[in-house]
Amino acid sequence: MLAGDVMEPWSEPTNTVWSFPFSPQDWEQTPPAVQAYVRTLHDRVETLQARLTQNSTTSSRPPSADAPYKKPRQHTTAATPRKAGGKPGHPGHRQALLPPTTVHELRPERCTCGNTVFALTSPYYTHQVLELPPIAMEVTHWVLHQGWCVDCGRWTQAHVPAEHASGYGPRFSALVGELAGTYGNGRRMVQTFCASVLRVPISLGVIQKVLDRVTRAIEPYYSAIATQARQAPVNYIDETPWYCLNTLEWLWVMASDTVAFYMIHPHRSKAAFAALIEDWAGLLVSDGYGVYQSWVEARQTCLAHLIRTARALAARQPPALAACGAWALVELQRLCHMATAPPTGGEWRAWYARLCKLIDQHHDRHDDAGRFARRLLREMDSLWVFLAHRGVEPTNNRAERALRCGVLWRKRSLGTASTKGNRWVERILSLKETCRLHARATYAVLVDAVTRFFHGQPPELSWITEAVSTSPHPL
């Protein structure tokens, strides 16, 4: 029970089996104070039991948090489960033919009839074989000389050109950044890869120095991504826990159609949200976190979160809670499907009437069904914004998918160990996800960024700053 709830006389629901080890007559003779205490304990036990049965389909927990022996089964309406892979009629994705380095012509040697002479031959198929060439590092030695000045009598030494002073070239530095950042490998894993595949012995300290240079090289890209994100008409925002030296912090993401901007902040608060968006004032797609609910501009609440809550209610033991959850689950799923099949005027009015009836019937309850109904009423204006604006999705899955790489990074390395590490995570994740949205290879972008950084040249940011995003024009 929550503070402020009104105590009501409690009795076992009708049409059910009496589940207590005493008779209804004994219950009627129980003092009211004892009845109230038993009711409180009963409700608490039921709530805790429902919490124990939660999984990724009935809460905001990720699928990786599900117990290995209690994985939720995939529900299907088919008589027999469909095999994995594309459905019949699904367009195939053949291996693309790459430019050949060697071509071998093969002609038939003997026909099935025994003849070995063919009057006409023509190619009918190309079989492609890919192989990795032997990896040989390009090693350049800069032999520095010193000379004796005959005028002043001092020794003068030659110096390594600035672009080669790091000791590791742009492609090697970009590869280390790709391994440690894009794929989130630990420093020792990168060290092992360099020794095993590249035959380059490298210390952990040198790996960190290389990553520090890559971090500085991609800083302009990070700033450009932040600017584009704060100018986008629609943003999908979410946050997840992050740890820096075992101190709880928060990894935020602000994703649009063209960029994804990450930020690590010490808090999960209104101040952190303000630091993320700055002066942005577009259409927000988010979950039901209270900071987001106070957004004064248009906001689309994530229907997937509401659907999971409704599914959890439908699985509760009390019939009233289960009935409310099942009803809400059907209506919310129907609303979500309207994103791909817009309703007619009559269908919309009928759906809206059913939703209002659901809220009206459960609004005044003091249990989870009442709280869920009041939540639906509170977020009424944010339920169907995706129907009024083109390019807006009914769920916040875009931000959650963008956070997944950060969550996996946190699970592998338990976060970061310094503020410098936080900056590396922010920048490389922003660049990685933005490259994915633009169908660009992260490694090629890293090579170009590090090369320009070594030569003191301005970075190439046109592919970020000139991106055209989809505006949420009303339908």
Side-chain angles (χ1 to χ4, degrees):
M1 292 182 61
L2 298 178
D5 285 355
V6 178
M7 189 70 65
E8 298 176 353
W10 181 86
S11 61
E12 187 75 359
T14 58
N15 300 325
T16 61
V17 178
W18 184 259
S19 57
F20 291 100
F22 47 81
S23 64
Q25 293 76 17
D26 293 336
W27 175 259
E28 295 297 335
Q29 298 176 5
T30 304
V34 178
Q35 289 187 2
Y37 185 67
V38 171
R39 178 195 176 195
T40 301
L41 294 179
H42 180 276
D43 293 343
R44 183 177 300 174
V45 169
E46 199 277 330
T47 301
L48 294 176
Q49 287 179 339
R51 189 177 301 172
L52 287 174
T53 59
Q54 284 183 348
N55 54 47
S56 58
T57 66
T58 58
S59 68
S60 297
R61 297 169 54 184
S64 59
D66 292 338
Y69 303 105
K70 297 181 180 180
K71 288 288 185 182
R73 299 182 61 182
Q74 298 293 334
H75 299 285
T76 176
T77 56
T80 57
R82 184 177 64 84
K83 293 182 179 180
K87 297 180 180 179
H90 176 74
H93 300 280
R94 299 180 62 86
Q95 172 67 45
L97 291 178
L98 303 178
T101 56
T102 304
V103 177
H104 296 283
E105 301 282 349
L106 293 179
R107 290 175 173 81
E109 298 179 354
R110 180 183 298 273
C111 181
T112 55
C113 67
N115 182 36
T116 59
V117 179
F118 298 90
L120 178 65
T121 61
S122 61
Y124 75 98
Y125 179 74
T126 299
H127 176 69
Q128 179 176 260
V129 177
L130 302 180
E131 174 60 303
L132 186 68
I135 299 177
M137 302 297 294
E138 295 181 0
V139 182
T140 303
H141 285 189
W142 294 83
V143 181
L144 306 182
H145 290 261
Q146 61 181 359
W148 176 266
C149 180
V150 296
D151 291 336
C152 64
R154 290 181 297 182
W155 287 95
T156 301
Q157 297 177 340
H159 299 281
V160 179
E163 59 270 22
H164 300 289
S166 67
Y168 297 91
R171 290 192 296 273
F172 184 88
S173 300
L175 178 60
V176 172
E178 180 90 354
L179 293 172
T182 303
Y183 303 113
N185 292 310
R187 306 294 187 268
R188 293 191 181 277
M189 188 72 71
V190 176
Q191 183 186 47
T192 302
F193 176 88
C194 291
S196 175
V197 179
L198 305 180
R199 302 296 177 90
V200 175
I202 186 172
S203 67
L204 298 179
V206 171
I207 292 176
Q208 185 58 53
K209 290 181 180 179
V210 171
L211 294 180
D212 291 343
R213 298 187 190 102
V214 177
T215 303
R216 294 196 299 270
I218 63 177
E219 193 279 331
Y221 296 80
Y222 181 70
S223 300
I225 291 171
T227 300
Q228 289 300 114
R230 289 161 179 160
Q231 294 176 354
V234 182
N235 269 313
Y236 301 76
I237 297 181
D238 203 357
E239 76 290 331
T240 190
W242 188 264
Y243 298 97
C244 181
L245 286 175
N246 294 327
T247 300
L248 176 61
E249 297 189 353
W250 294 88
L251 174 65
W252 294 73
V253 66
M254 187 161 121
S256 67
D257 291 338
T258 56
V259 297
F261 172 59
Y262 294 77
M263 181 193 75
I264 296 178
H265 196 276
H267 305 291
R268 182 185 186 230
S269 62
K270 188 175 181 179
F273 178 60
L276 176 73
I277 66 173
E278 289 190 351
D279 58 350
W280 176 73
L283 197 156
L284 170 64
V285 183
S286 69
D287 55 25
Y289 179 39
V291 169
Y292 304 139
Q293 293 185 14
S294 61
W295 184 245
V296 296
E297 306 292 338
R299 183 179 77 91
Q300 170 64 49
T301 190
C302 180
L303 295 185
H305 283 75
L306 296 176
I307 287 174
R308 289 195 289 267
T309 303
R311 185 179 288 113
L313 275 179
R316 297 285 289 274
Q317 292 296 328
L321 295 182
C324 175
W327 187 359
L329 179 61
V330 171
E331 299 303 335
L332 290 172
Q333 287 178 333
R334 184 177 286 114
L335 175 62
C336 195
H337 292 161
M338 292 180 186
T340 55
T344 63
E347 291 174 341
W348 173 254
R349 288 189 293 270
W351 180 89
Y352 183 78
R354 292 193 300 270
L355 180 67
C356 292
K357 183 177 180 181
L358 167 67
I359 295 175
D360 182 67
Q361 287 189 4
H362 299 87
H363 181 273
D364 295 331
R365 297 178 61 92
H366 299 285
D367 53 11
D368 289 340
R371 282 185 281 274
F372 185 58
R374 291 189 290 274
R375 178 181 175 185
L376 291 177
L377 180 62
R378 185 171 58 253
E379 301 210 45
M380 181 75 79
D381 294 337
S382 302
L383 293 178
W384 49 75
V385 175
F386 69 96
L387 294 176
H389 296 273
R390 184 181 296 111
V392 178
E393 300 174 5
T395 68
N396 198 31
N397 289 345
R398 178 172 302 193
E400 292 184 343
R401 289 194 301 267
L403 278 179
R404 178 167 175 77
C405 54
V407 172
L408 295 178
W409 191 323
R410 183 193 68 211
K411 288 180 178 293
R412 286 190 299 264
S413 61
L414 303 180
T416 49
S418 65
T419 303
K420 182 175 65 175
N422 284 353
R423 302 293 83 79
W424 162 245
V425 171
E426 293 173 338
R427 295 174 185 180
I428 193 61
L429 290 185
S430 298
L431 184 63
K432 168 187 177 296
E433 185 65 15
T434 300
C435 285
R436 188 190 69 82
L437 293 174
H438 287 264
R440 282 178 171 262
T442 311
Y443 177 70
V445 175
L446 286 174
V447 171
D448 182 70
V450 177
T451 300
R452 293 173 179 272
F453 175 74
F454 283 172
H455 288 82
Q457 300 173 351
E460 173 56 42
L461 304 176
S462 60
W463 63 278
I464 299 175
T465 58
E466 296 176 1
V468 179
S469 59
T470 304
S471 300
H473 299 299
L475 297 178

